[in-house]
Amino acid sequence: SYYTCVDQELCIACGSCGALAPDLFDYDDEGIAYALLDDNQNRIKIPNVLEDDLLDAYDSCPTDAIKLTKANTTE
Ligand code: F3S
């Protein structure tokens, strides 16, 4: 499993991540994305059921703004 956050300096508000993973990403007033579950803190493990959405969003981001950190467990 993974943790995630958005590098908001890199996000260009393309809107792809929230479309592909609406439970994981939302946007601020300027359309800049942030990770929903932990307010972009890279702290809460992404539930396994949302992992496909997460990876789709990660792959879709045109500026590689979405950061993934592999959780250090065997879950
Ligand atoms: Fe931004 Fe990438 Fe999402 S550009 S809106 S973090 S897909």
Side-chain angles (χ1 to χ4, degrees):
S1 43
Y2 297 91
Y3 304 95
T4 190
C5 65
V6 175
D7 182 337
Q8 299 186 317
E9 301 291 320
L10 292 178
C11 175
I12 56 169
C14 84
S16 179
C17 54
L20 290 167
D23 296 324
L24 295 176
F25 298 101
D26 204 354
Y27 311 108
D28 70 13
D29 290 345
E30 272 141 27
I32 302 300
Y34 63 93
L36 257 180
L37 296 187
D38 56 9
D39 199 22
N40 215 40
Q41 296 303 300
N42 204 37
R43 207 178 282 157
I44 293 180
K45 223 180 292 167
I46 303 304
N48 287 345
V49 290
L50 295 176
E51 199 161 297
D52 283 349
D53 285 359
L54 172 66
L55 296 176
D56 285 348
Y58 174 79
D59 286 339
S60 79
C61 181
T63 60
D64 292 334
I66 297 174
K67 302 305 173 193
L68 292 185
T69 309
K70 196 97 169 95
N72 193 16
T73 92
T74 53
E75 276 179 58

